Amino acid sequence: MKTDIVLAGVGGQGILSVATILGVAALKEGLNIKQAEVHGMSQRGGDVQSTLRISSSPIHSDLIPSGTADLIVSLEPMEALRYLPLLSPKGWIVTSSAPFINIPNYPDIEIIENELNKSENVVSFDMEAMAKEVASPRSSNMVLLGAASHFIDLSSEKIEDAITNVFSSKGEAIVESNLKAYRCGREKASSYIAK
């Protein structure tokens, strides 16, 4: 088993929390992981990217070669587009459709969507809106994780255990809010897979 994942977004969206949760879940399943992170800016608004490689065999590098990633997971559509060259022809893109417009020359969202939809395997919906509706605006990263969980060779139970583990220090209400967001994202993505 091997899954190569590119996690992308902008600072403050919680992409690195997603990477942490997946890492904890993978270790609980006895798998090998390698992770690398790139921070565009340390403050909110800069691009953040993490590569995560999960495998039942030893992993010798945290780098994902172009055209081989199994999954691009992004809370921002332009950031998903940025890493498209890493995606394998059969890979999946899971992204929020809501743009985070942090630059004056942000491309037209229709152009971004058209480029992303050239891939056969795209799950895209407004994850921020869903998070606000079912949990809290800050849990959009858990909606994203739930949607992406269908394409990651980890049990949903282990991912939920990892969410509980990572957020337990913040109290039971935060844990429950994040679990609810995760489950709603997972359920929403099911409709895309059935197509």
Side-chain angles (χ1 to χ4, degrees):
M1 153 293 145
K2 174 192 77 70
T3 307
D4 288 345
I5 306 165
V6 178
L7 300 162
V10 298
Q13 288 187 307
I15 285 297
L16 299 182
S17 293
V18 171
T20 300
I21 289 163
L22 289 174
V24 168
L27 290 174
K28 284 186 179 210
E29 288 206 10
L31 298 170
N32 299 293
I33 62 168
K34 290 267 186 194
Q35 180 186 356
E37 297 172 3
V38 176
H39 306 266
M41 292 183 346
S42 60
Q43 63 194 35
R44 184 168 179 77
D47 65 308
V48 175
Q49 178 257 337
S50 178
T51 56
L52 186 63
R53 305 186 81 190
I54 303 170
S55 177
S56 54
S57 304
I59 305 166
H60 303 291
S61 172
D62 54 20
L63 300 176
I64 298 174
S66 290
T68 66
D70 300 297
L71 185 59
I72 293 175
V73 178
S74 180
L75 264 171
E76 209 291 320
M78 188 178 76
E79 293 301 322
L81 184 61
R82 181 190 309 261
Y83 297 103
L84 211 49
L86 292 176
L87 190 66
S88 80
K90 295 188 179 197
W92 279 84
I93 301 165
V94 180
T95 185
S96 181
S97 60
F100 185 98
I101 300 174
N102 57 348
I103 54 174
N105 58 344
Y106 192 95
D108 186 308
I109 190 63
E110 288 181 14
I111 293 170
I112 294 171
E113 287 172 351
N114 288 339
E115 285 301 312
L116 291 175
N117 287 324
K118 287 179 181 176
S119 171
E120 291 180 22
N121 303 321
V122 179
V123 174
S124 177
F125 60 92
D126 189 336
M127 297 183 187
E128 290 76 13
M130 177 175 275
K132 286 177 190 172
E133 182 182 322
V134 302
S136 120
R138 294 186 52 95
S139 61
S140 59
N141 61 336
M142 292 301 104
V143 173
L144 176 72
L145 177 57
S149 66
H150 291 281
F151 314 105
I152 303 170
D153 288 328
L154 296 170
S155 74
S156 188
E157 180 182 302
K158 287 286 192 283
I159 295 173
E160 288 197 19
D161 288 348
I163 291 168
T164 301
N165 181 286
V166 168
F167 291 111
S168 63
S169 66
K170 296 186 178 194
E172 191 173 324
I174 299 294
V175 169
E176 287 307 314
S177 176
N178 281 292
L179 287 171
K180 186 174 182 183
Y182 168 82
R183 290 169 186 152
C184 287
R186 185 169 169 81
E187 183 179 338
K188 175 77 174 178
S190 298
S191 64
Y192 287 83
I193 299 162
K195 289 179 182 177

